[in-house]
Amino acid sequence: MTATDLSHYDPAPATPPVVDQATWQTELDQLRRREKASTRELDAIAAQRRRLPMVRMPDYTLEGAFGPVRLADVFDGKHQLIVYSHMWHPGGEYQCGGCTFFTSQFTRLDFLEAFDARFVVVTQGSIDEALAYRRRVGNRMSWYSTADSTFGADVGAPPDAGFALNVFLRDGEDVYRTWHTDGRGVEQVSHVFPLMDVLPYGRQEMREDSPEGWPQDETYGGWPEPQEIAGWYGEE
């Protein structure tokens, strides 16, 4: 028999304690009770969100791939619109790494059609720069420019500032803002962060409460750079 080459089976950098099946199941059941409580709390939060009032928006004009477009028309006939405001630095070959990473996960959004909704990206950059960057990093969503509009500043994403996630409702030609979040609040519409969180080592960031010896790096240390995302998904 030929000996199996085990040289590529590197030992794990750290491991949880090893226990028997019954002990593991007991620990899992205890955790599951907290997970279920968290799920119920998220349901309650969503119920409260559905009862939020809304504020009427001005008749903004944005710039799309085919020219100027009214905000009401960005809905593309839908009644609900999710807008991610992508951080932007004019003239940069690569833009915010966090925004690029966040938006790169949304490759299949056709399911929103059944919910009378659409998800788009807006940015303070010019539409030509925005569309070129979209191609460079392989983003699949529709992009719009707010460079000649106060829309970005009015929804929490002014020029040379942060990112934001906003939701709007269209009633005829009238558009209303129904919800907003930023910072880590955007994680709730993501799947990449929950996937990291179920891993034994989590996000491997120093801010996390992890056992001694767990691999950890600076916050955001494991996130891909925009150049990497362009290499994975980009058209150029």
Side-chain angles (χ1 to χ4, degrees), residues 98-220:
C99 290
T100 305
F101 176 38
F102 177 79
T103 57
S104 70
Q105 69 187 297
F106 299 108
T107 58
R108 292 179 175 86
L109 293 168
D110 295 333
F111 71 92
L112 286 174
E113 293 272 347
F115 294 90
D116 191 22
R118 191 182 188 211
F119 192 157
V120 303
V121 174
V122 301
T123 178
Q124 296 282 2
S126 70
I127 189 60
D128 290 340
E129 280 193 347
L131 294 177
Y133 190 67
R134 176 182 181 269
R135 292 190 297 271
R136 185 173 302 126
V137 298
N139 192 278
R140 301 293 184 87
M141 288 186 279
S142 297
W143 283 51
Y144 296 88
S145 169
T146 61
D148 298 320
S149 167
T150 62
F151 177 82
D154 294 345
V155 299
D160 298 318
F163 57 93
L165 189 72
N166 285 276
V167 181
F168 302 92
L169 178 68
R170 181 183 61 81
D171 182 15
E173 293 190 355
D174 296 327
V175 175
Y176 299 87
R177 188 184 187 196
T178 64
W179 186 70
H180 163 270
T181 193
D182 53 21
R184 292 191 62 193
V186 303
E187 292 181 10
Q188 61 192 291
V189 302
S190 168
H191 70 259
V192 296
F193 300 108
L195 284 176
M196 294 178 198
D197 289 339
V198 300
L199 296 171
Y201 299 140
R203 304 188 194 185
Q204 302 183 40
E205 297 180 349
M206 288 184 289
R207 66 169 184 82
E208 290 184 299
D209 180 2
S210 295
E212 184 176 354
W214 254 226
Q216 289 184 303
D217 199 349
E218 61 183 20
T219 302
Y220 318 128

Side-chain angles (χ1 to χ4, degrees), residues 52-66:
L52 281 176
M54 60 186 185
V55 60
R56 187 174 180 176
M57 304 297 289
D59 188 16
Y60 296 101
T61 297
L62 282 59
E63 191 78 17
F66 302 103

